Amino acid sequence: MNLQLVERIAAAVLYEGYMLYPYRATAVKNRQRWNFGALCPESYSAAQGGTEAWTMQTQCLVHAGADAVLDVKLRFLHLLEREVGAPVADGAAQEVANLSDDEIQARDAAAHFQVVESLDVGGQLFQTWQEAVEREVCATNLNLGELLKQPHRQTFAFPSSRALETLRDADGRVGGIIVRRQQSIEGAIELRVEAVEGVAVESDASSAKGLFRLTARILNLTTLEDAGARSRDDALMRSLVSTHTILGAREGGEFVSMLEPPEAFREAVASCENTGTWPVMVGDEGARDCMLSSPIILYDYPQIAPESPGDLFDGTEIDEILTLRIMTLTDEEKREMRSVDEHARRILERTETMPGEELLRMHGMMKGKSS
């Protein structure tokens, strides 16, 4: 398995749509985020009449012997709410001016501040925003023969958190705070394997192989009370976002393409049920040991364009166009973009320092005809 290539494709899927041009928190398109692969708590899904998903299912075919080994990796984003607080009154900041950050945290001094969209402290802009933390859950070294006998279920949990940061000017005076909150998340991976009957399968002399249907279900088991009264933003804070799975096969196991299966396997492929996701081959062209199941429809063996200088979080756009648009932003727009988070800051820094030849490479390449 070309793990480096697989990880690059998976990372592009994980952050697709994370933020869009003009890469500013005030843009409407960046206020309505997290539309790909969001699995909300089951109670919220029920309250919404099933219009919001709480499960995701991948079904694909594996051509393998009973000794084959399967690996499953779940990846998603866990949202983190970043709130910027301004003093509620002129004297509020003075009440905590001489306290250390630890003391402010201990006294829960956030009560002296109110949440605002943005705040300028000492010439630096701070903005309220939803950040995201990458999460990964692995179910590895699973024997196919054992999965035939007994399905595998693996639960996972990530705890809630809260952190407070003071914002001080050059003279050390407190001008505001940042409060970061993350809600707890619980979920499960369910895996099962079934033999596909009635299909002629080629086997070599050394090992008998069969055709098997692998089912991988991802469930959000997070408790959400009063789900019917909750907003989608409340549910998203307890959701698995940009959810996708990476499936690996070892010890002679090979996946079957869902897009271009062998003729003998077409009917079995058609019977697979995928919900909220679609599996494609990933890795080096022709390799059959890895699949990426993603909420974004891809073709087999997707590639990152070699001319692409880095992530722009919008696979529907052309890198050159987005780069040129960023270059035309005003100084104030760039200041706002820089303060969104480290992802936006890296895009801006990369664009502002981009050599001319790199921009030309994005525009197009001339390739001579080989003799």
Side-chain angles (χ1 to χ4, degrees), residues 77-281:
L77 295 177
H78 186 178
L79 303 190
L80 186 150
E81 187 175 34
R82 184 185 76 203
E83 294 181 334
V84 175
V88 296
D90 291 341
Q94 296 306 315
E95 294 185 35
V96 296
N98 297 320
L99 300 180
S100 68
D101 288 359
D102 288 342
E103 289 173 324
I104 292 175
Q105 176 81 39
R107 296 190 186 189
D108 196 19
H112 294 290
F113 299 83
Q114 62 182 354
V115 178
V116 294
E117 288 191 2
S118 63
L119 183 67
D120 191 311
V121 179
Q124 187 173 352
L125 184 65
F126 299 90
Q127 301 182 76
T128 291
W129 179 250
Q130 280 183 343
E131 300 175 351
V133 176
E134 296 181 21
R135 299 300 193 193
E136 184 174 291
V137 182
C138 298
T140 58
N141 299 314
L142 302 174
N143 177 264
L144 187 146
E146 292 300 320
L147 285 174
L148 274 171
K149 301 174 186 177
Q150 179 69 45
H152 177 84
R153 190 175 196 267
Q154 181 169 321
T155 59
F156 59 87
F158 295 97
S160 61
S161 65
R162 181 180 182 275
L164 186 148
E165 174 187 351
T166 55
L167 303 177
R168 300 175 184 267
D169 60 21
D171 296 324
R173 291 188 295 266
V174 177
I177 61 170
I178 294 177
V179 179
R180 289 180 171 88
R181 295 188 183 91
Q182 197 165 41
Q183 302 298 327
S184 61
I185 282 181
E186 297 180 18
I189 303 173
E190 294 181 346
L191 303 170
R192 72 174 188 269
V193 170
E194 306 163 288
V196 179
E197 305 294 345
V199 179
V201 178
E202 293 183 4
S203 300
D204 56 39
S206 60
S207 63
K209 289 188 175 183
L211 187 65
F212 302 93
R213 181 179 294 108
L214 168 63
T215 302
R217 292 185 71 221
I218 311 301
L219 304 87
N220 186 341
L221 304 177
T222 307
T223 299
L224 179 61
E225 297 179 356
D226 300 322
R230 301 285 190 145
S231 68
R232 186 170 188 266
D233 279 343
D234 282 342
L236 283 172
M237 293 302 297
R238 299 162 176 84
S239 296
L240 285 63
V241 175
S242 295
T243 312
H244 61 278
T245 51
I246 301 173
L247 312 173
R250 295 182 282 121
E251 304 300 328
E254 296 179 334
F255 291 105
V256 175
S257 171
M258 301 292 288
L259 297 175
E260 298 182 358
E263 187 63 37
F265 297 164
R266 287 188 180 277
E267 186 174 342
V269 165
S271 69
C272 291
E273 297 181 5
N274 287 279
T275 305
T277 188
W278 183 254
V280 298
M281 298 287 200

Side-chain angles (χ1 to χ4, degrees), residues 45 47 62 64 102 112 150 203 248-249 261 267-268 270 284 329 338 343 350:
S45 176
V62 185
D102 288 342
H112 294 290
Q150 179 69 45
S203 300
E267 186 174 342
D284 294 322
L329 294 176
R338 186 177 289 107
H343 297 289
R350 186 175 67 238

